[in-house]
Structure formats: C-alpha cells, structure tokens
Amino acid sequence: MKKLINSPGTVIADALRGIEVSDNRVRVDHTHRIVLRKEPKADGKVALVSGGGSGHEPLHAGFVGEGMLDAACAGEMFTSPTPDQIVAAIDAADTGAGTLLIVKNYTGDVMNFEMGAELTGAQVRTVLVADDVAVEDSTFTAGRRGVAGTMIVEKIAGAAAEEGMGLDDVASLARAVAASTRSMGMALTSCTVPAAGRPTFDLPEHEMEIGIGIHGEPGRHREPFTDAAHIARQLVEPVLADLNFGDSDVILLVNGMGGTPLIELYVMVAEVTALLEAADVRIARCLVGNYVTSLDMAGCSVTLTRAEPEWLRLYDEPVNTAGLRWGA
Amino acid sequence: MKKLINSPGTVIADALRGIEVSDNRVRVDHTHRIVLRKEPKADGKVALVSGGGSGHEPLHAGFVGEGMLDAACAGEMFTSPTPDQIVAAIDAADTGAGTLLIVKNYTGDVMNFEMGAELTGAQVRTVLVADDVAVEDSTFTAGRRGVAGTMIVEKIAGAAAEEGMGLDDVASLARAVAASTRSMGMALTSCTVPAAGRPTFDLPEHEMEIGIGIHGEPGRHREPFTDAAHIARQLVEPVLADLNFGDSDVILLVNGMGGTPLIELYVMVAEVTALLEAADVRIARCLVGNYVTSLDMAGCSVTLTRAEPEWLRLYDEPVNTAGLRWGA
C-alpha cells in the first residue's frame, strides 16, 4: 500500500493538521478532533454541526466555514464520531440559538449523534440524510444510506443559518432538501483503508460495482465494465425512477469517489446531462468534482436535488470553506 | 483499463462537452477544441490565452472565466495544441488590446504557440512557464518543464487583465510571477493514457519516483516508498535550494496529480508547512487540491511563489471558473 500518509495510525490527526494550516478561517480542537470556525460566534446564529467517519474529505471537515458548517467531527476512518466528540462540537458551536445536527443515515452515526444530542445542554434538532437509492438497508445502515446529497443539504441549510433563520425553520428546510435529494454511485476500484492495508473488496479487472456505498459497501450488482454512457444510464435511471424531477428546477452533482480525475468526471457530466435533458429534467445548477469521497476509490456518483426557487437562491449564496468556495 | 470514458478516441471531445454543460459561463468551439468565455468581450481587456495537452484538467480548459483565462486550447492527450487551434483561440479572445499567451515550457507547445502567434493578426506577447526544479531538459523539453506553477501565473495575470492592465504590463507581471515560482513533484503510480491502455511507466509496488513530470516523464530518481514526512522533504528541499523564499510572503500550492484523494493532500500540506515554517518561509496563501493533474496518476507536487504584496492582492481577487472559484 502506497499512500501519502505517515502511518495508518496518524492519518486523521495529520489530515486535521493539514486542514488547519491550509485554511486560516478554521481552527481544530485536536483533543476532540473537531474542526471549528475561528471567528467569534455570531449571537443568534443557529449552529450547523455535522461529522462522520473520516475518509470522505472534503466532507465534512472541509466544509466548515462561512455559509456552511460551524463544526465538524472527524471520526475514525469510516467510523462514526463518538458522543463526546459530538457534545464538544455542539458546545463549541452553539450560540444559544440552537444547533442543527446533519447526520448521514448509518446506524452508528444515528446512535452517537442521538447520544450527543441528549448529553448536551443545547437545544438540538437533527436532520437525517438518506439519499442513496441503491439499496434499502446495507452493511452499516437500516434504511437508505446517506451519501453525496449530504453536501447539498449542508450548503443550502448553511446559507439559511448564515442569514439568521431560526432553528426550527432551518431544520425544516434541511429536512425538505434531504427529502428532495437522491443519489446513486458506482465504483471501478475498491478503496484501501490505511489500517487494513489492502482493498476493502475484490473487483475483477473488467468489472464494476453499480450502487456502491461510500465505504465500499456492496451495491446492487456487478457487471462488466463498458463505457461512460452506459454507466450514466445505470446511475441516472434509478434516481429518476425514485422521485419525480420533471416538474422542478434541479441541482445536479456529479461527484468523484476520490481516485477519479476531473477529466473523467467531465466525460460523465456530459453523459448524465444528455440523459437528463432527454427526460425533460431542468438542470438549474451543476457541480462537478471530488467532494464526497471514499478514500482512493475510483468511481463516481450522481445526485439530483429537486430545488425550490428559494433553495437555488440559498445554494448560490457565498460559501467560504477549504473544500467549497464561491463568491456572491 | 477501466476509466469513466466512452472510448480513447472520444475522451477529449466528451470532456469538453462536459465542461460546456457544467459551466454556463463558457462556450466551446468544438471544431477547434477551444474553451471560451460566453459573455461578450469587454473592449480594451487584454486577452489571456493558454492551453496545452489534455490530461491535466482542470488546467487549462477549467480555468476559463472571470478573473483567469479568456480562452484555452485543448490539445490531444499530453500533446501540444496545433497552431490553427491557437490562432482560433487568439482570434476569438482578442479585443484589440492584445493577447498574452501563457505557455508551459515543452518543445511542442513553444513551437506551436510561436507559430500561432505569427499567424494571427493580433498583437501577442508570450510568457513561458518553466517552474519545475526537478530536471534540466527532459523527454519533451529543452530547459525546465512547466508544471503546476502555471496556474498561479494564470490566476495573478488573469486578475490584472480583468482590472484593465495593458498588454506589456500584464506580460511583465506574468513573467515576474513565473520567474518567482518553483515546483517539484513525485508519483506513487504511473498514469495510464487512454489510447495506450497501459501504464506509461512501470513503478514497482514499493517504489516512488521523485521529480516526476506531469506526463510521467522521468524525474530525478526512484527510491523505496517511505512516508509523507520524507516525501515532503524530498519536494520542499530542492525548491528552497533553488530560490530564496525567506525574504518574502509566499503562495503555497500542494497539488494532487489526479488520482490522489484530498485526505492525503491534507496530510502532505501539514508536513510541507512544518518544513517551510522551520525554514522561516512566510506562507501567506495556501491552496490544496487536484489542479494540475496527470490523468489518474497518484502523487503530488509542491509549488512556491515568492509573492510581492500586489501579487497577493491580485491572487485574492475573485475568480469564477469551472476549476477554481472564489469571491471577493
């Protein structure tokens, strides 16, 4: 196993140091492994706290900053953060206006965020993201998995919180965005968890896994590798079959799994867009890149959010984080 | 070979379609394979035109837009664009105020951009970028290679042109930035050019190549893979030995080669920053990501620019492209 790391035991601590030195708008509580905004908390701002297993960067640690999260907890690799991390994040981020927890739907995450919410004195609401249409229940999940759509929820809810929206309204908004978001992913290769030192699963040279989870959990099926156009159909069709996207503007995210270069994601977005146009889906916004990753896995996912006009306005608001930046 | 492409023969055309559909601020001339800004040309703005072989995305096609390039020519994979592409790009971008060509120092690129400059009627200046300290002369180069530092030149000169700076001044600025920029890269794995279908070079399982070029050209030496801290020293020391960075603010770019996930780049930037701080280098700005890639190569490079205060101001100005975005 060759990776740009010092050792499997230090990779998360080292990566947190890297986020800290590369983004002077955040600070890291290394004891609790939480990333926080550096500037003083604005009174009355609802805090957005997320987190999950490490290995999906820039999600979540790279999404802390203006217009997005107030704090992110970095769990062990592909492992939920602990309740005490979550309590520390809530306590550091809360301004008295309450905290929204954005949680991907994995059993460990749900349990630990629930426990964290019970242990803190802050007023807390939770949104569960379960956007992956590939499978019901999975290795680490009861119900659908939370995958790349999580960043769309964080972006839109983050903008609303930045504007001063109250806790219950931000929570309702985040839940509505999550409920309007669907994703489907695929892998050309397995990821390799540093501590394991070998690929999580075996995938023969000429096969791919359709419906892969972001920890390498099994998807729907394997089939021979073909081409980008076929892969796009395998991702777009289940998403369109799951929710009616025809009557609304849509945010499209073509996301890389970490080991896929941008040139291939550009090829994918061309194919995905052609399919969506043929299905009369109106693509109002389009984002392409490696945002919700699975370590060094090669592959991609397609996420669609059926967006109300107000959500598009919030999506367009400035964001200033290590992993996602744009201006007004 | 498994890649998210339709066929080796269509990957560049398909990727250009992808850039076009994912960024509604650019248009693509598919005949000439050039990416252009969509909005009408502002009279009197110096045009910035770049380009090179494909396979380095987002460089250059993903850097067309407000605050950066006016046009980019996409050559065949790892192959210079042709003079007629370059002429078409200049003619489409030029407003009458002249065009600056930003050219990475490879023999084919230098020759074809020179020919393009001769064939167009526009007033043209050229900046050559040759920031790679790894080797003098190389497979495709007389003199040093142009690598990741090219994007720093494009960003700073792009902001100056956007503000209305004249042709000779933008050219001087770009040359000064190029002359103050140094890079050094390494690879854990080879890239695979789609048309070849197999890795460009063989790298044994436990070795790495130090000083790699962005087309997989040989670097300085191979050695056993160790860890991120050692790799950081192998990249930072030659850069610091080549230019005095101790008396100035510095822009730091830790760049991924395409197949390296962000978590590993975060680990690298932590190590690189520690070395720079020990050497009393003042890191004024820091950028981390896969920006100047070599298809699916795993590896990274370190770029330092010795920046005057005015360059930092220009670097901070808004940029709005598919591959690099930030606000005021």
Side-chain angles (χ1 to χ4, degrees), chain A residues 219-231:
Chain A
R220 286 189 174 186
H221 69 277
R222 289 182 177 188
E223 59 175 58
F225 168 74
T226 50
D227 61 24
H230 174 76
I231 293 168

Side-chain angles (χ1 to χ4, degrees), chain A residues 242-267:
Chain A
D242 203 80
L243 190 69
N244 176 18
F245 289 92
D247 56 351
S248 169
D249 283 329
V250 163
I251 299 169
L252 166 64
L253 166 63
V254 174
N255 174 63
M257 291 296 193
T260 292
L262 199 52
I263 189 170
E264 298 183 32
L265 297 180
Y266 284 146
V267 171

Side-chain angles (χ1 to χ4, degrees), chain A residues 2 6 188 207 264 271, chain B residues 2 4 6 188 207 271:
Chain A
K2 291 188 287 191
N6 289 313
L188 293 174
E207 287 190 15
E264 298 183 32
E271 299 302 332
Chain B
K2 290 186 288 189
L4 299 175
N6 289 313
L188 294 175
E207 286 191 14
E271 299 302 330

Side-chain angles (χ1 to χ4, degrees), chain A residues 229-311:
Chain A
H230 174 76
I231 293 168
R233 281 192 300 276
Q234 297 276 61
L235 301 183
V236 167
E237 284 170 6
V239 166
L240 292 184
D242 203 80
L243 190 69
N244 176 18
F245 289 92
D247 56 351
S248 169
D249 283 329
V250 163
I251 299 169
L252 166 64
L253 166 63
V254 174
N255 174 63
M257 291 296 193
T260 292
L262 199 52
I263 189 170
E264 298 183 32
L265 297 180
Y266 284 146
V267 171
M268 283 304 301
V269 74
E271 299 302 332
V272 167
T273 300
L275 292 172
L276 294 176
E277 284 172 355
D280 286 326
V281 173
R282 293 200 308 273
I283 306 167
R285 300 293 183 276
C286 180
L287 187 64
V288 182
N290 284 280
Y291 291 110
V292 178
T293 62
S294 182
L295 291 166
D296 54 349
M297 184 186 284
C300 69
S301 62
V302 170
T303 297
L304 295 187
T305 299
R306 197 176 63 189
E308 297 179 8
E310 173 66 4
W311 302 0

Side-chain angles (χ1 to χ4, degrees), chain A:
Chain A
M1 177 189 63
K2 291 188 287 191
K3 286 176 179 288
L4 299 174
I5 64 174
N6 289 313
S7 76
T10 63
V11 57
I12 295 166
D14 289 344
L16 288 173
R17 282 195 297 128
I19 290 176
E20 189 170 38
V21 298
S22 62
D23 183 353
N24 59 19
R25 298 151 299 195
V26 303
R27 65 188 172 89
V28 174
D29 170 348
H30 290 280
T31 307
H32 293 100
R33 293 195 174 167
I34 54 183
V35 179
L36 297 155
R37 299 198 202 184
K38 201 183 265 176
E39 84 272 25
K41 299 181 272 189
D43 271 358
K45 183 193 172 301
V46 168
L48 260 61
V49 173
S50 190
S54 293
H56 306 302
E57 291 68 21
L59 185 87
H60 301 271
F63 291 154
V64 173
E66 183 203 354
M68 223 157 158
L69 301 178
D70 294 276
C73 315
E76 293 293 324
M77 206 64 79
F78 291 169
T79 302
S80 170
T82 59
D84 69 295
Q85 286 183 280
I86 295 163
V87 170
I90 296 171
D91 289 350
D94 194 80
T95 67
T99 293
L100 177 66
L101 302 177
I102 300 175
V103 183
K104 301 195 298 303
N105 188 37
Y106 298 96
T107 307
D109 292 67
V110 172
M111 193 172 66
N112 287 359
F113 273 93
E114 255 176 30
M115 212 175 299
E118 279 169 23
L119 292 170
T120 175
Q123 198 182 12
V124 169
R125 300 284 180 275
T126 299
V127 53
L128 278 187
V129 186
D131 53 317
D132 188 348
V133 304
V135 291
E136 284 296 328
D137 304 337
S138 178
T139 316
F140 311 112
T141 331
R144 287 181 167 180
R145 301 176 296 214
V147 291
T150 312
M151 78 174 284
I152 305 298
V153 176
E154 293 181 355
K155 174 67 190 79
I156 293 175
E162 209 74 47
E163 291 184 352
M165 188 182 276
L167 179 60
D168 283 323
D169 288 340
V170 177
S172 297
L173 170 66
R175 287 180 193 131
V177 175
S180 303
T181 297
R182 298 290 186 279
S183 298
M184 176 94 174
M186 60 77 59
L188 293 174
T189 68
S190 173
C191 52
T192 295
V193 176
R198 52 183 171 70
T200 302
F201 57 92
D202 291 317
L203 193 56
E205 175 53 33
H206 298 290
E207 287 190 15
M208 56 186 177
E209 173 98 22
I210 303 293
I212 193 82
I214 58 173
H215 313 91
E217 312 96 294
R220 286 189 174 186
H221 69 277
R222 289 182 177 188
E223 59 175 58
F225 168 74
T226 50
D227 61 24
H230 174 76
I231 293 168
R233 281 192 300 276
Q234 297 276 61
L235 301 183
V236 167
E237 284 170 6
V239 166
L240 292 184
D242 203 80
L243 190 69
N244 176 18
F245 289 92
D247 56 351
S248 169
D249 283 329
V250 163
I251 299 169
L252 166 64
L253 166 63
V254 174
N255 174 63
M257 291 296 193
T260 292
L262 199 52
I263 189 170
E264 298 183 32
L265 297 180
Y266 284 146
V267 171
M268 283 304 301
V269 74
E271 299 302 332
V272 167
T273 300
L275 292 172
L276 294 176
E277 284 172 355
D280 286 326
V281 173
R282 293 200 308 273
I283 306 167
R285 300 293 183 276
C286 180
L287 187 64
V288 182
N290 284 280
Y291 291 110
V292 178
T293 62
S294 182
L295 291 166
D296 54 349
M297 184 186 284
C300 69
S301 62
V302 170
T303 297
L304 295 187
T305 299
R306 197 176 63 189
E308 297 179 8
E310 173 66 4
W311 302 0
L312 293 180
R313 186 188 70 73
L314 291 165
Y315 179 83
D316 290 340
E317 286 293 304
V319 60
N320 208 347
T321 70
L324 191 71
R325 278 185 81 179
W326 57 67

Side-chain angles (χ1 to χ4, degrees), chain B residues 179-208:
Chain B
S180 303
T181 298
R182 297 290 186 278
S183 298
M184 176 91 174
M186 60 76 60
L188 294 175
T189 68
S190 173
C191 51
T192 295
V193 177
R198 52 184 171 70
T200 302
F201 57 93
D202 291 317
L203 194 56
E205 174 54 32
H206 298 290
E207 286 191 14
M208 57 185 176

